[in-house]
Amino acid sequence: MDIDWSNLKFEFLPTKSNIRFTCHNNRWDEGKLYNTYDITMSVAANCLHYGQAIFEGMKAFRCKDGKVRVFRPQENAERMRRSAARIMMADFPAEMFLDGVRRVVRDNLEYIPPYGTGGSLYIRPVMFGTTAQIGVNSSVDYTLVIMVVPVGAYYKGGITPVDAMVSDFDRAAPRGTGTIKCAGNYAASLYPGKLAKEAHCPVALFLDPKEREYIDEFGTSNFLAVTKAGQYVTPESESILPSVTNKSLFAIAGDLGMNPVQRPIHVGELADMAEVAACGTAVVLTPVRRIYYGDKVFSYGETIGPKLKALYDHMTGIQYGELPDTRNWLMDI
Ligand code: PLP
Ligand code: COI
């Protein structure tokens, strides 16, 4: 193993092991570590045809005191259980998920970027239905894999704001699967994402699919903004993923006196915002420089704004054990 910690990106890199739990008729096994990435399943497996596939994303950090900690894995366990319930997949105990996280991180300690590099170990659980079937029914067999990937500091040489484009497409239907992390949502966002990139916008912003009047979220991250009065605002909607990062930043915003609020945000309000960002596990937050909406352009500055910077620094400070973890967000490994 020979990793250049200074050159890590957010991309697949094999590690020592992944852990797999399998389920038949609602009975889960004890889980086992595997040293291969390959799996064998029927070409008639449900996940391939009918899309019973869900995933999660969280991170383990090598903290300032040398210990390894995972950021809020209980939140991911509960969100994955909600995802499973929505598309009729088998339930599992949160403790099984957390046990899997601990075991796979412990087995891959050498892949956790050292403290000070800004890197972390991205933990990716994925669960899919494997029963061979032709009728459209839920699977009776499932595999839950938890794999890990070392990832680098997202921002090298400073945080550079990116441009975003409001998409003409919808990502999820109003009462569909927008609130869960199922694989199909990401397939649906690929084409709108490509169109945004062709317009030199790394991220696509989706509006509420019902009225197309309110802001929903970006393809792989939540929307948050700081108003000109200094308030943290983030959308309330029936079709967005409840982000663990957003929930955490919301709490930090409260500590920082930013009077955070979750409410519908009309697209016209983009003109009233002082700072805008996309937030998620991979990046914590990415400041948005401009948003293109039809023939309108909203601008938020060429560098990260002061409130976003404070939020980012607090969040990463807690994750790396530089600031006190007053809410018990970190799970020791
Ligand atoms: N929204 C979508 C659609 C996502 O894919 C993600 C990424 O995980 C997020 C928001 C951010 O969620 P979290 O902060 O839990 O990573
Ligand atoms: C995130 O973890 O922030 C993500 O954007 C997940 C994405 C890679 C699907």
Side-chain angles (χ1 to χ4, degrees), residues 88-99:
M88 295 280 291
M89 297 173 75
D91 192 14
F92 54 83
E95 189 42 51
M96 183 188 103
F97 178 103
L98 297 174
D99 170 59

Side-chain angles (χ1 to χ4, degrees), residues 29-175:
D29 68 8
E30 298 294 302
K32 196 174 153 214
L33 289 161
Y34 283 76
N35 300 119
T36 172
Y37 280 87
D38 295 339
I39 54 164
T40 302
M41 65 178 160
S42 169
V43 294
N46 175 304
C47 60
L48 301 176
H49 300 251
Y50 304 128
Q52 276 191 311
I54 56 180
F55 69 99
E56 272 302 328
M58 75 210 103
K59 282 178 169 177
F61 298 87
R62 177 72 68 182
C63 294
K64 196 178 174 189
D65 62 3
K67 295 202 172 127
V68 174
R69 298 187 178 91
V70 180
F71 189 72
R72 306 192 78 174
Q74 299 87 347
E75 294 284 330
N76 298 87
E78 292 306 334
R79 189 169 65 187
M80 196 167 207
R81 294 182 61 214
R82 289 197 299 274
S83 295
R86 174 64 181 80
I87 59 170
M88 295 280 291
M89 297 173 75
D91 192 14
F92 54 83
E95 189 42 51
M96 183 188 103
F97 178 103
L98 297 174
D99 170 59
V101 168
R102 284 188 211 101
R103 284 159 68 191
V104 73
V105 173
R106 278 188 200 134
D107 202 45
N108 288 277
L109 287 177
E110 60 193 322
Y111 288 90
I112 306 178
Y115 173 73
T117 60
S120 54
L121 190 72
Y122 182 72
I123 304 168
R124 165 56 63 85
V126 59
M127 177 173 156
F128 40 90
T130 56
T131 301
Q133 60 191 108
I134 283 298
V136 182
N137 287 308
S138 82
S139 186
V140 289
D141 304 279
Y142 294 92
T143 300
L144 168 60
V145 183
I146 309 178
M147 58 177 226
V148 295
V149 190
V151 295
Y154 210 85
Y155 304 109
K156 300 224 170 66
I159 303 178
T160 316
V162 302
D163 290 344
M165 188 180 95
V166 175
S167 178
D168 289 335
F169 288 85
D170 297 325
R171 164 184 175 272
R175 294 178 201 196

Side-chain angles (χ1 to χ4, degrees), residues 55-58 71 75-76 79 122 124 171 178 180-181 185-186 189 217-223 239-248 279-284 315:
F55 69 99
E56 272 302 328
M58 75 210 103
F71 189 72
E75 294 284 330
N76 298 87
R79 189 169 65 187
Y122 182 72
R124 165 56 63 85
R171 164 184 175 272
I180 65 161
K181 211 162 166 65
N185 289 348
Y186 297 82
S189 73
E217 64 173 329
F218 299 98
T220 59
S221 43
N222 270 186
F223 175 98
S239 44
I240 64 183
L241 188 77
S243 152
V244 179
T245 311
N246 195 2
K247 186 175 176 181
S248 309
C279 71
T281 296
V283 293
V284 178
M315 178 79 157

Side-chain angles (χ1 to χ4, degrees), residues 218 223-226 270 273-278 286-289 291 300 308:
F218 299 98
F223 175 98
L224 71 89
V226 181
L270 286 174
M273 302 303 174
E275 302 175 41
V276 170
T286 303
V288 173
R289 179 173 68 159
I291 299 179
Y300 307 103
L308 291 180

